[in-house]
Short mmCIF file of all heavy atoms in Angstrom, two decimals:
data_model
loop_
_atom_site.label_atom_id
_atom_site.label_comp_id
_atom_site.label_asym_id
_atom_site.label_seq_id
_atom_site.Cartn_x
_atom_site.Cartn_y
_atom_site.Cartn_z
N THR A 269 105.61 165.13 57.87
CA THR A 269 105.79 163.77 58.38
C THR A 269 104.96 163.60 59.64
O THR A 269 104.16 164.47 60.00
CB THR A 269 107.28 163.44 58.62
OG1 THR A 269 107.43 162.03 58.85
CG2 THR A 269 107.85 164.21 59.80
N ASN A 270 105.16 162.47 60.31
CA ASN A 270 104.46 162.19 61.55
C ASN A 270 105.47 161.66 62.56
O ASN A 270 106.25 160.77 62.24
CB ASN A 270 103.35 161.16 61.32
CG ASN A 270 102.33 161.13 62.42
OD1 ASN A 270 102.66 160.89 63.57
ND2 ASN A 270 101.07 161.38 62.08
N ALA A 271 105.45 162.22 63.76
CA ALA A 271 106.47 161.90 64.76
C ALA A 271 106.19 160.58 65.47
O ALA A 271 106.17 160.51 66.70
CB ALA A 271 106.59 163.04 65.77
N LYS A 272 105.97 159.54 64.70
CA LYS A 272 105.74 158.21 65.25
C LYS A 272 107.03 157.40 65.19
O LYS A 272 107.96 157.75 64.45
CB LYS A 272 104.65 157.48 64.46
CG LYS A 272 103.25 158.05 64.64
CD LYS A 272 102.23 157.15 63.96
CE LYS A 272 100.82 157.70 64.11
NZ LYS A 272 100.37 157.75 65.51
N SER A 273 107.07 156.33 65.96
CA SER A 273 108.18 155.39 65.82
C SER A 273 108.09 154.74 64.44
O SER A 273 107.03 154.75 63.79
CB SER A 273 108.11 154.31 66.89
OG SER A 273 106.98 153.46 66.67
N THR A 274 109.19 154.18 64.00
CA THR A 274 109.19 153.52 62.68
C THR A 274 108.14 152.42 62.61
O THR A 274 107.43 152.28 61.62
CB THR A 274 110.59 152.94 62.39
OG1 THR A 274 111.54 154.00 62.39
CG2 THR A 274 110.62 152.24 61.04
N GLU A 275 108.01 151.65 63.70
CA GLU A 275 107.05 150.54 63.71
C GLU A 275 105.62 151.06 63.60
O GLU A 275 104.80 150.52 62.84
CB GLU A 275 107.22 149.71 64.98
CG GLU A 275 108.52 148.92 65.04
CD GLU A 275 109.76 149.79 65.24
OE1 GLU A 275 109.62 150.92 65.79
OE2 GLU A 275 110.85 149.35 64.85
N ASP A 276 105.29 152.10 64.35
CA ASP A 276 103.94 152.67 64.29
C ASP A 276 103.68 153.28 62.92
O ASP A 276 102.57 153.17 62.38
CB ASP A 276 103.76 153.74 65.37
CG ASP A 276 103.63 153.15 66.77
OD1 ASP A 276 103.38 151.93 66.87
OD2 ASP A 276 103.78 153.90 67.74
N PHE A 277 104.70 153.91 62.37
CA PHE A 277 104.55 154.51 61.03
C PHE A 277 104.25 153.43 60.00
O PHE A 277 103.32 153.57 59.19
CB PHE A 277 105.83 155.26 60.67
CG PHE A 277 105.73 156.09 59.42
CD1 PHE A 277 105.43 157.43 59.49
CD2 PHE A 277 105.93 155.51 58.16
CE1 PHE A 277 105.34 158.20 58.33
CE2 PHE A 277 105.83 156.26 57.01
CZ PHE A 277 105.52 157.61 57.09
N LEU A 278 105.01 152.35 60.02
CA LEU A 278 104.83 151.29 59.04
C LEU A 278 103.45 150.64 59.13
O LEU A 278 102.93 150.15 58.12
CB LEU A 278 105.91 150.22 59.22
CG LEU A 278 107.32 150.62 58.73
CD1 LEU A 278 108.35 149.61 59.19
CD2 LEU A 278 107.33 150.74 57.21
N ALA A 279 102.85 150.65 60.31
CA ALA A 279 101.53 150.05 60.47
C ALA A 279 100.46 150.79 59.66
O ALA A 279 99.39 150.23 59.40
CB ALA A 279 101.14 150.04 61.95
N HIS A 280 100.76 152.02 59.24
CA HIS A 280 99.80 152.80 58.46
C HIS A 280 99.99 152.67 56.95
O HIS A 280 99.25 153.28 56.19
CB HIS A 280 99.90 154.28 58.86
CG HIS A 280 99.36 154.58 60.23
ND1 HIS A 280 100.08 154.34 61.37
CD2 HIS A 280 98.16 155.08 60.62
CE1 HIS A 280 99.36 154.69 62.41
NE2 HIS A 280 98.20 155.13 61.99
N LEU A 281 100.99 151.91 56.52
CA LEU A 281 101.26 151.76 55.10
C LEU A 281 100.64 150.46 54.59
O LEU A 281 100.49 149.50 55.32
CB LEU A 281 102.76 151.78 54.82
CG LEU A 281 103.52 153.02 55.30
CD1 LEU A 281 104.98 152.93 54.88
CD2 LEU A 281 102.89 154.29 54.76
N SER A 282 100.34 150.44 53.29
CA SER A 282 99.57 149.34 52.72
C SER A 282 100.40 148.14 52.32
O SER A 282 99.85 147.08 52.06
CB SER A 282 98.79 149.83 51.49
OG SER A 282 99.70 150.24 50.47
N THR A 283 101.72 148.27 52.26
CA THR A 283 102.53 147.15 51.75
C THR A 283 103.82 146.97 52.54
O THR A 283 104.52 147.95 52.82
CB THR A 283 102.87 147.35 50.26
OG1 THR A 283 103.76 146.32 49.83
CG2 THR A 283 103.52 148.70 50.02
N PRO A 284 104.17 145.74 52.89
CA PRO A 284 105.41 145.47 53.62
C PRO A 284 106.66 145.79 52.82
O PRO A 284 107.74 145.95 53.40
CB PRO A 284 105.33 143.96 53.92
CG PRO A 284 103.91 143.57 53.72
CD PRO A 284 103.35 144.52 52.70
N ALA A 285 106.55 145.87 51.50
CA ALA A 285 107.74 146.12 50.67
C ALA A 285 108.38 147.47 50.98
O ALA A 285 109.56 147.69 50.67
CB ALA A 285 107.36 146.05 49.20
N LEU A 286 107.62 148.37 51.58
CA LEU A 286 108.15 149.69 51.90
C LEU A 286 108.99 149.71 53.18
O LEU A 286 109.71 150.67 53.43
CB LEU A 286 107.00 150.70 52.05
CG LEU A 286 106.22 151.00 50.76
CD1 LEU A 286 104.92 151.72 51.10
CD2 LEU A 286 107.06 151.83 49.80
N ALA A 287 108.90 148.66 53.98
CA ALA A 287 109.54 148.67 55.29
C ALA A 287 111.05 148.94 55.23
O ALA A 287 111.54 149.78 56.00
CB ALA A 287 109.26 147.35 56.02
N PRO A 288 111.82 148.27 54.35
CA PRO A 288 113.26 148.56 54.34
C PRO A 288 113.57 150.02 54.04
O PRO A 288 114.54 150.58 54.58
CB PRO A 288 113.78 147.65 53.22
CG PRO A 288 112.75 146.59 53.04
CD PRO A 288 111.45 147.24 53.36
N MET A 289 112.76 150.65 53.21
CA MET A 289 113.00 152.04 52.83
C MET A 289 112.71 152.99 53.98
O MET A 289 113.46 153.92 54.25
CB MET A 289 112.16 152.38 51.60
CG MET A 289 112.44 151.45 50.44
SD MET A 289 111.20 151.52 49.12
CE MET A 289 111.30 149.83 48.50
N ILE A 290 111.57 152.75 54.68
CA ILE A 290 111.20 153.60 55.80
C ILE A 290 112.19 153.44 56.95
O ILE A 290 112.48 154.41 57.67
CB ILE A 290 109.77 153.28 56.26
CG1 ILE A 290 108.76 153.59 55.14
CG2 ILE A 290 109.42 154.06 57.52
CD1 ILE A 290 108.69 155.05 54.73
N LYS A 291 112.73 152.25 57.11
CA LYS A 291 113.71 152.04 58.18
C LYS A 291 115.00 152.80 57.91
O LYS A 291 115.72 153.17 58.85
CB LYS A 291 113.99 150.54 58.34
CG LYS A 291 112.81 149.79 58.97
CD LYS A 291 113.07 148.30 59.05
CE LYS A 291 111.86 147.58 59.67
NZ LYS A 291 112.06 146.10 59.71
N VAL A 292 115.32 153.04 56.65
CA VAL A 292 116.51 153.84 56.30
C VAL A 292 116.20 155.33 56.32
O VAL A 292 117.00 156.14 56.80
CB VAL A 292 117.04 153.42 54.90
CG1 VAL A 292 118.12 154.39 54.42
CG2 VAL A 292 117.57 152.00 54.94
N PHE A 293 115.03 155.69 55.81
CA PHE A 293 114.67 157.11 55.72
C PHE A 293 113.20 157.24 56.14
O PHE A 293 112.30 157.10 55.32
CB PHE A 293 114.88 157.64 54.30
CG PHE A 293 114.88 159.14 54.21
CD1 PHE A 293 116.06 159.86 54.36
CD2 PHE A 293 113.71 159.84 54.01
CE1 PHE A 293 116.06 161.25 54.29
CE2 PHE A 293 113.69 161.23 53.93
CZ PHE A 293 114.88 161.93 54.07
N GLY A 294 112.99 157.49 57.42
CA GLY A 294 111.66 157.58 57.99
C GLY A 294 111.39 158.95 58.57
O GLY A 294 112.02 159.95 58.19
N PRO A 295 110.47 159.04 59.51
CA PRO A 295 110.08 160.35 60.07
C PRO A 295 111.24 161.18 60.62
O PRO A 295 111.30 162.39 60.38
CB PRO A 295 109.08 159.97 61.17
CG PRO A 295 108.50 158.68 60.71
CD PRO A 295 109.61 157.95 60.03
N ALA A 296 112.15 160.54 61.36
CA ALA A 296 113.27 161.30 61.93
C ALA A 296 114.16 161.87 60.84
O ALA A 296 114.62 163.03 60.92
CB ALA A 296 114.08 160.40 62.86
N GLU A 297 114.40 161.08 59.79
CA GLU A 297 115.27 161.54 58.70
C GLU A 297 114.60 162.65 57.89
O GLU A 297 115.28 163.57 57.40
CB GLU A 297 115.63 160.35 57.79
CG GLU A 297 116.59 159.35 58.41
CD GLU A 297 115.95 158.45 59.47
OE1 GLU A 297 114.70 158.31 59.46
OE2 GLU A 297 116.69 157.91 60.31
N VAL A 298 113.29 162.60 57.74
CA VAL A 298 112.58 163.68 57.05
C VAL A 298 112.76 164.98 57.83
O VAL A 298 113.01 166.05 57.25
CB VAL A 298 111.09 163.34 56.88
CG1 VAL A 298 110.32 164.56 56.37
CG2 VAL A 298 110.92 162.17 55.92
N GLN A 299 112.62 164.89 59.14
CA GLN A 299 112.80 166.10 59.96
C GLN A 299 114.22 166.63 59.86
O GLN A 299 114.44 167.85 59.80
CB GLN A 299 112.43 165.79 61.41
CG GLN A 299 110.94 165.48 61.58
CD GLN A 299 110.57 165.10 63.00
OE1 GLN A 299 110.58 165.94 63.89
NE2 GLN A 299 110.23 163.83 63.20
N ASN A 300 115.20 165.72 59.81
CA ASN A 300 116.59 166.16 59.64
C ASN A 300 116.81 166.83 58.29
O ASN A 300 117.56 167.81 58.19
CB ASN A 300 117.53 164.97 59.79
CG ASN A 300 117.58 164.43 61.21
OD1 ASN A 300 117.25 165.15 62.16
ND2 ASN A 300 117.98 163.18 61.37
N LEU A 301 116.17 166.28 57.24
CA LEU A 301 116.26 166.89 55.92
C LEU A 301 115.77 168.33 55.96
O LEU A 301 116.43 169.25 55.45
CB LEU A 301 115.44 166.08 54.91
CG LEU A 301 115.25 166.71 53.52
CD1 LEU A 301 116.56 166.71 52.74
CD2 LEU A 301 114.17 165.96 52.73
N CYS A 302 114.60 168.52 56.55
CA CYS A 302 114.02 169.87 56.62
C CYS A 302 114.89 170.81 57.44
O CYS A 302 115.12 171.97 57.05
CB CYS A 302 112.61 169.80 57.20
SG CYS A 302 111.43 168.90 56.17
N SER A 303 115.37 170.33 58.57
CA SER A 303 116.23 171.16 59.41
C SER A 303 117.51 171.55 58.67
O SER A 303 117.97 172.69 58.76
CB SER A 303 116.57 170.43 60.71
OG SER A 303 115.40 170.16 61.46
N GLY A 304 118.05 170.59 57.92
CA GLY A 304 119.26 170.87 57.14
C GLY A 304 119.04 171.88 56.04
O GLY A 304 119.99 172.51 55.57
N LEU A 305 117.79 172.05 55.64
CA LEU A 305 117.45 173.06 54.63
C LEU A 305 116.97 174.35 55.27
O LEU A 305 116.37 175.20 54.62
CB LEU A 305 116.38 172.50 53.69
CG LEU A 305 116.86 171.37 52.76
CD1 LEU A 305 115.69 170.70 52.07
CD2 LEU A 305 117.86 171.91 51.72
N GLY A 306 117.20 174.48 56.58
CA GLY A 306 116.91 175.72 57.28
C GLY A 306 115.46 175.91 57.69
O GLY A 306 115.06 177.03 58.01
N GLN A 307 114.69 174.82 57.71
CA GLN A 307 113.26 174.93 58.02
C GLN A 307 112.99 174.45 59.44
O GLN A 307 113.16 173.27 59.76
CB GLN A 307 112.44 174.13 57.02
CG GLN A 307 112.68 174.52 55.58
CD GLN A 307 112.49 176.01 55.33
OE1 GLN A 307 111.41 176.54 55.58
NE2 GLN A 307 113.52 176.65 54.82
N GLU A 308 112.56 175.35 60.28
CA GLU A 308 112.19 174.99 61.65
C GLU A 308 110.85 174.28 61.64
O GLU A 308 109.94 174.66 60.91
CB GLU A 308 112.11 176.27 62.51
CG GLU A 308 111.88 176.00 63.99
CD GLU A 308 111.82 177.28 64.81
OE1 GLU A 308 112.10 178.37 64.24
OE2 GLU A 308 111.48 177.18 66.00
N LEU A 309 110.74 173.24 62.47
CA LEU A 309 109.55 172.41 62.49
C LEU A 309 108.89 172.45 63.86
O LEU A 309 109.50 172.79 64.86
CB LEU A 309 109.90 170.96 62.15
CG LEU A 309 110.64 170.71 60.84
CD1 LEU A 309 111.06 169.24 60.74
CD2 LEU A 309 109.78 171.09 59.64
N PHE A 310 107.61 172.06 63.90
CA PHE A 310 106.94 171.83 65.17
C PHE A 310 106.02 170.62 65.03
O PHE A 310 105.60 170.27 63.93
CB PHE A 310 106.15 173.07 65.62
CG PHE A 310 104.88 173.31 64.85
CD1 PHE A 310 103.66 172.81 65.30
CD2 PHE A 310 104.90 174.06 63.68
CE1 PHE A 310 102.49 173.03 64.59
CE2 PHE A 310 103.73 174.29 62.96
CZ PHE A 310 102.52 173.77 63.42
N THR A 311 105.74 169.99 66.16
CA THR A 311 104.89 168.81 66.18
C THR A 311 103.57 169.15 66.86
O THR A 311 103.56 169.65 67.99
CB THR A 311 105.56 167.65 66.92
OG1 THR A 311 106.82 167.36 66.30
CG2 THR A 311 104.69 166.40 66.89
N GLY A 312 102.47 168.89 66.15
CA GLY A 312 101.15 169.16 66.70
C GLY A 312 100.73 168.09 67.69
O GLY A 312 101.42 167.08 67.90
#
């Protein structure tokens, strides 16, 4: 994923229809998913 705010993340997507989905499950939630599966992460 990318550690951007939801708004900055959405600016990189091609269609507004994805916005409701990213607002529910975006970069922070992806990181939580990985952490919950025992995977340590780092941000470049």
Side-chain angles (χ1 to χ4, degrees):
T269 192
N270 198 301
K272 291 187 180 296
S273 68
T274 300
E275 291 71 24
D276 286 345
F277 189 96
L278 286 169
H280 289 80
L281 303 183
S282 64
T283 175
L286 293 166
M289 303 165 210
I290 296 297
K291 288 177 181 178
V292 171
F293 195 90
E297 289 75 21
V298 171
Q299 294 177 71
N300 291 338
L301 171 70
C302 295
S303 298
L305 291 168
Q307 304 306 301
E308 186 179 353
L309 304 173
F310 74 93
T311 303

